[in-house]
């Protein structure tokens, strides 16, 4: 594993995207090179998708299996409509890097500085905002990022 420089988050919105790894995991995104984030049927999560801008960064969270943040993705194409239902939102994302060590939901819940995260407060929300200080702490807890290659 090659260490990957932490991306500059200045001026970017930060997010957390949840997916079941047996349905669509980070390995699937890597294999595609760019994937469409769609199928979101929650109004708050859809509003978050509509708010995303090109270049925004997102933690990739494996839900149900693992329950951990495993990687970072980047919004490559914002402002799309869901291909199955035009009343819902979608974006395209590209893989950026793995976390050196996944950060588990249990660890997040046990960290007082992360108690305000949406993943703790609104556990079913599949697309959630992340504050810069939360982002930095999670990257630190993970031991940094590593290259995809």
């Amino acid at each position: 594993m090659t260490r990957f420089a932490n991306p500059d988050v200045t001026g970017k919105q930060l997010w957390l995207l949840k997916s079941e790894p047996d349905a669509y995991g980070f390995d699937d995104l890597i294999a595609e090179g760019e994937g469409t984030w769609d199928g979101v049927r929650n109004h708050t999560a859809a509003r978050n998708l509509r708010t995303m801008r090109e270049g925004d960064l997102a933690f990739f969270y494996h839900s149900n299996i693992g329950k951990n943040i495993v990687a970072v993705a980047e919004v490559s194409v914002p402002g799309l409509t869901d291909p199955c239902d035009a009343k819902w939102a979608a974006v395209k994302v590209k893989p950026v890097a793995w976390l050196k060590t996944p950060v588990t939901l249990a660890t997040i819940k046990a960290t007082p500085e992360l108690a305000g995260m949406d993943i703790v407060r609104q556990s079913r929300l599949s697309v959630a905002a992340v504050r810069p200080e939360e982002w930095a702490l999670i990257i630190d807890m993970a031991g940094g990022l590593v290259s995809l290659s």
Side-chain angles (χ1 to χ4, degrees):
M1 282 193 223
T2 305
R3 191 149 176 90
F4 183 87
N6 293 343
D8 182 11
V9 300
T10 306
K12 296 182 185 202
Q13 298 177 106
L14 305 169
W15 305 97
L16 182 135
L17 302 172
K18 290 169 70 174
S19 183
E20 297 175 12
D22 57 341
Y24 190 83
F26 194 68
D27 285 326
D28 297 309
L29 180 60
I30 291 171
E32 288 184 351
E34 181 179 56
T36 302
W37 205 268
D38 58 3
V40 173
R41 298 297 184 263
N42 172 286
H43 291 287
T44 302
R47 184 178 64 242
N48 288 339
L49 285 173
R50 287 185 191 97
T51 303
M52 291 180 176
R53 300 181 305 238
E54 183 177 352
D56 284 354
L57 297 172
F59 283 131
F60 199 108
Y61 178 87
H62 282 167
S63 60
N64 293 344
I65 300 169
K67 294 186 180 179
N68 52 19
I69 298 172
V70 298
V72 173
E74 179 180 1
V75 176
S76 53
V77 182
L80 301 175
T81 56
D82 189 297
C84 294
D85 188 340
K87 73 178 183 177
W88 295 99
V91 298
K92 287 193 178 280
V93 295
K94 296 189 299 191
V96 172
W98 290 100
L99 270 64
K100 183 175 182 186
T101 303
V103 177
T104 66
L105 179 59
T107 300
I108 291 168
K109 287 181 173 182
T111 305
E113 298 89 346
L114 300 176
M117 285 189 77
D118 286 343
I119 194 170
V120 174
R121 295 181 314 103
Q122 300 175 351
S123 62
R124 296 184 51 85
L125 190 61
S126 62
V127 180
V130 176
R131 291 183 259 318
E133 60 275 11
E134 296 165 341
W135 182 274
L137 181 55
I138 289 170
I139 295 289
D140 187 54
M141 292 167 71
L145 301 175
V146 294
S147 170
L148 297 177
S149 54

